[in-house]
Amino acid sequence: MAQEKTGGGYRQELKRTLGPFQVFAISFAFISVAVGIFATYDEVLVSAGPVGIWLWIIAAVGQTLVALVVAQFAARIALSGSSYQWASRLGSPAVGWWFGWLTFCYLAVAVVAIDNALASQAFMPLAGMPADEDTARVITLVVLLVQAVLAIVSTRLISWINTTAVGLELALVVAVAIALVIAVAVTDIGSAANLTSRGITAGAPDYFGIGGGLMIAMIMGLATLVGFDSAANLAEEAKDPYRTVPRAIVGSVVAAGILGMLFLITLTVAIEDIPRISHESSPVAAIMHDRLGVVAERVLLTAITFAFFGAGIVVMVSCSRLVYAMSRDSRFPAHRVMRRVNPRTRTPIPATLLILGLGVVLMVVLPGAALLELITASTILPALIYCATIVLYLAVRKRLDRRKGAFDLGRYETPVAVSALTWTFLALFVLVSPGEARTSVVIVAGLLVLGGVFFVGMLAFDRRALDSQPGSEDDEDTFAH
């Protein structure tokens, strides 16, 4: 019997088990709008005041433009590795390697960031545990281990967890929004005037300036509405990927943007005492406690904990698939080991264990301040990756084939891509302009230098891996005119 091919000239090793909603759930779980708002709403209140929530709309529109361009690639090249594969096949293997390295750095750090936030911001308050960094690190290590075991056991199991997490999150956001509206209407506590209030930032200097409070509030949308391309990282495990993956990419951003804005409006209107809520370590939980009581607050924390877990496991799986994809092309350290797929589970076990190992190292070795700076730096990486992806698309779009029935912007592709590129330049400017971002910029530069060292090593000792593209002859007619 002939061995099934992926469509990229590779032997099909990963099992296609993901249906349309499961693919959507992967991207939506990575975005995790409730988790993103839960983790960043305090920053908006402190830097820009309640009125800062309206910047979410700008971020949602901008990220939707980016998602439309990413979906154009996903509709034509359905391989694990997403932008790494697109750049390798349509640019050059060397260019693709840099896409892969940046994405790997982002995902590897994001796993730790999400799981550490799960421990400190959701699970510990839910369990009534006092804030303690060492305790949070131990819990993070346990969560990483559980996620790695689940990721190794079965992709189908992961998809079930994500589907459940997404369903719970959708229900949570809608239910909380309705409950808060009813509570405000019944008690007459809260005010629509909060939506235009600067809160504790009233009179703050440089509020409207470059790097000022209003600009900093944009980070909520930029840090939350990312990772929608994670569905493309699992394209080789999706059914009918040329249709389901692009729809999941765009649909997840649109759904998260709309639900997030509704959630933010209801939360903000429900605030009774803006100064007090602004100084809470978890203002979302505090608002829930004030308006809906202790039981509702604990339900929220339980749901948020599960949503954090679902988001973390999606990132871990996405990162392992990227490592697998790069190793399959002999372009990742220890690639002979990292490209192995277990014949029984049909999952890349060594690549998954690598992500677990890196998480353990970051948790055990880095001091608190350094870990925080590394996590902050990870917000710059996706904007950089998306910007480079759009530049690549504008450079190669005329060579892209149009698959019948697949997602296609048609005559709107150029204006959408140009608008998306303009937005990513603005997003990068917003992320690097605050004075607090200097250390994060240095960390990103350090990661680039580290990648450069390995890249030079490949040029010197394994040049062949960067001179040829597996499956390129098979796919010449598939990917380009």
Side-chain angles (χ1 to χ4, degrees), residues 24 28 31-34 37 53-64 169-170 172-175 177-178 220-221 224-225 249-267:
F24 166 82
F28 192 86
I31 295 172
S32 195
V33 61
I37 291 174
I53 67 168
W54 296 108
L55 293 173
W56 177 274
I57 296 177
I58 298 176
V61 172
Q63 295 299 84
T64 299
E169 185 171 359
L170 290 170
L172 170 71
V173 171
V174 173
I178 293 173
M220 178 168 65
T224 302
L225 299 172
I249 290 170
V250 178
S252 61
V253 180
V254 173
I258 294 172
L259 286 173
M261 193 68 248
L262 293 175
F263 192 38
L264 286 169
I265 290 173
T266 54
L267 279 174

Side-chain angles (χ1 to χ4, degrees), residues 172-250:
L172 170 71
V173 171
V174 173
V176 168
I178 293 173
L180 288 174
V181 169
I182 294 173
V184 170
V186 171
T187 63
D188 200 27
I189 297 176
S191 173
N194 292 345
L195 298 173
T196 56
S197 170
R198 284 180 53 179
I200 63 173
T201 70
D206 299 324
Y207 180 81
F208 296 100
I210 294 176
L214 192 62
M215 182 178 288
I216 291 174
M218 181 78 78
I219 290 177
M220 178 168 65
L222 293 177
T224 302
L225 299 172
V226 295
F228 41 82
D229 51 321
S230 57
N233 254 336
L234 276 75
E236 290 178 36
E237 294 158 88
K239 300 173 183 177
D240 194 14
Y242 296 102
R243 293 180 176 84
T244 59
V245 172
R247 291 171 184 172
I249 290 170
V250 178

